[in-house]
Amino acid sequence: MVEAYCVKCRAKREVKNPKVVTMKNGRPAVKGTCPKCGSGMYRIGKME
């Protein structure tokens, strides 16, 4: 379970289809979609 802030909904939600990615500077991040509106969500940091 990974939570991130959805800018479109303006609320914290659980990320749908989370994928671990590495940013250009080498830091880990989690990328996915909002289950309610379908927009992209992004959270910097490792997946718990």
Side-chain angles (χ1 to χ4, degrees):
M1 180 180 125
V2 179
E3 280 191 338
Y5 184 78
C6 179
V7 179
K8 199 170 181 182
C9 295
R10 295 186 179 176
K12 262 190 159 182
R13 304 205 187 275
E14 193 173 325
V15 179
K16 183 179 172 185
N17 300 328
K19 293 179 184 142
V20 177
V21 293
T22 304
M23 298 191 300
K24 286 182 183 179
N25 63 1
R27 292 183 70 189
V30 179
K31 194 175 184 181
T33 57
C34 177
K36 191 164 188 176
C37 68
S39 68
M41 296 175 82
Y42 203 81
R43 181 181 176 138
I44 298 169
K46 287 186 178 179
M47 199 168 172
E48 293 146 3

